[in-house]
């Protein structure tokens, strides 16, 4: 809608003001309407600028709200999943560590006891090995050739008792093998017990250096740091939630401002159009409803009355119900 400049004349060559009292009265009212038209045009400009600024600010606040909401959700999800799992895991680790410590203590005591008993057995086996050595010396002693031959029926290489001998009794039939076992088996057993003792010492040492009690300070450090991490996440989440609530209130208020601005803009536009149409009509009124007759005594304003009735019908159609039958039309 193009608003004419205030200093310009609203008349045209086709519509010239008449120099009479009626025209002067119309000019007075037209001047008021024109002034209102220009004032309303300025108010509409302000309303449009206010609406544009409020809409732009609303978009900025919406963007900030969305980003803050996304940030809040990240911390909230992190707190609900990772932080919670971390705390529960630490609790489980602490409980398991207590059990493992008891088992480890019992295992260490058992390994020490095994190593002690293996050492005792090794000492006994050393005595057995010494006894086997003494037995071997006795067997190889030439003074004992007769006894050896009597037990086994055989002579040693260093004996001069001759080959063969009397028949060995049944109880001593396995005496040679038994003597060999008594001489040689303790050597093998001594080697085995030495291996067993060394193995028990190695296992005890491994258990000592892999002591789970050394992990307890690490578990405590992990637990403390996890609690600090969870507390930090929780605090940030609460801060973001507070920011989010505040931004939500700001967005709601800005929506209200935009709604007021757009309503005011529509209102100013409707007022401007009303003043514009009124000013245009007063500047060059068509007055088509006035019927000019040849006789000065004939009614001339019947058409104006009919035009007003037509306006009334248009208002009824716009603001009232549309009857579908005569009864509804009567109630409308």
């Amino acid at each position: 809608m193009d608003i004419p400049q205030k200093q310009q004349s609203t008349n045209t060559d086709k519509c010239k003001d008449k120099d009479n009292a009626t025209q002067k009265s119309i000019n007075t009212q037209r001047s008021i309407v024109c002034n209102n038209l220009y004032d309303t045009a300025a108010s509409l400009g302000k309303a449009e600028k206010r609406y544009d600024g409020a809409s732009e600010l609303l978009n900025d606040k919406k963007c900030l709200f969305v980003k803050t909401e996304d940030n809040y959700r990240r911390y909230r999800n992190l707190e609900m999943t990772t932080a919670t799992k971390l705390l529960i895991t630490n609790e489980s680790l602490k409980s398991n560590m207590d059990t493992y410590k008891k088992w480890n203590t019992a295992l260490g005591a058992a390994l020490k006891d095994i190593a002690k008993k293996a050492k005792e057995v090794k000492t006994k086996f050393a005595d057995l090995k010494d006894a086997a050595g003494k037995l071997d010396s006795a067997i190889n002693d030439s003074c004992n050739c007769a006894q050896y031959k009597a037990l086994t029926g055989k002579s040693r290489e260093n004996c001069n008792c001759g080959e063969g001998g009397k028949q060995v009794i049944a109880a001593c039939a396995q005496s040679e093998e038994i003597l060999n076992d008594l001489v040689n088996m303790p050597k093998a057993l001594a080697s085995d017990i030495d291996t067993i003792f060394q193995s028990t010492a190695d296992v005890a040492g491994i258990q000592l250096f892999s002591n789970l009690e050394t992990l307890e300070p690490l578990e405590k450090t992990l637990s403390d740091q996890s609690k600090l991490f969870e507390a930090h996440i929780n605090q940030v989440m609460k801060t973001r939630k507070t920011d989010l609530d505040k931004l939500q209130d700001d967005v709601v208020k800005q929506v209200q401002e935009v709604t007021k601005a757009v309503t005011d803009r529509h209102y100013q536009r409707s007022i401007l159009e009303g003043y514009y149409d009124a000013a245009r009509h007063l500047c060059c009124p068509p007055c088509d409803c006035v019927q000019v007759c040849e006789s000065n005594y004939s009614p001339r304003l019947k058409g104006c009355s009919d035009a007003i009735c037509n306006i009334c019908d248009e208002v009824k159609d716009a603001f009232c119900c549309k009857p579908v039958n005569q009864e509804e039309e009567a109630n409308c």
Side-chain angles (χ1 to χ4, degrees), residues 42-57:
S43 298
L44 175 60
K46 291 191 295 183
E48 289 178 344
K49 290 297 182 181
R50 177 190 174 193
Y51 170 75
D52 293 340
S55 298
E56 184 176 357
L57 184 58

Side-chain angles (χ1 to χ4, degrees), residues 110-123 125 187-205:
L111 290 175
K112 288 180 181 180
D113 186 61
I114 291 174
K116 179 180 178 181
K117 287 181 170 55
K119 185 176 181 180
E120 293 176 356
V121 173
K122 183 179 180 181
T123 302
F125 272 53
K187 298 178 181 178
L189 293 176
S191 177
D192 290 342
I193 193 59
D194 185 68
T195 301
I196 292 174
F197 175 75
Q198 185 64 38
S199 298
T200 56
D202 291 342
V203 172

Side-chain angles (χ1 to χ4, degrees), residues 246-258:
K246 183 178 182 301
L247 288 174
Q248 182 176 348
D249 293 338
D250 291 343
V251 171
V252 171
K253 291 179 181 178
Q254 194 60 33
V255 170
Q256 295 173 350
E257 291 296 325
V258 172

Side-chain angles (χ1 to χ4, degrees), residues 78-95 219 222-231 233-234:
L78 184 63
E79 198 277 336
M80 288 192 303
T81 55
T82 304
T84 301
K85 289 180 180 179
L86 191 58
L87 292 180
I88 296 301
T89 301
N90 287 333
E91 291 180 3
S92 300
L93 284 176
K94 187 177 185 304
S95 177
E219 185 277 329
L222 176 62
S223 178
D224 294 339
Q225 295 299 323
S226 299
K227 290 178 181 179
L228 291 176
F229 174 74
E230 194 278 337
I233 295 297
N234 190 273

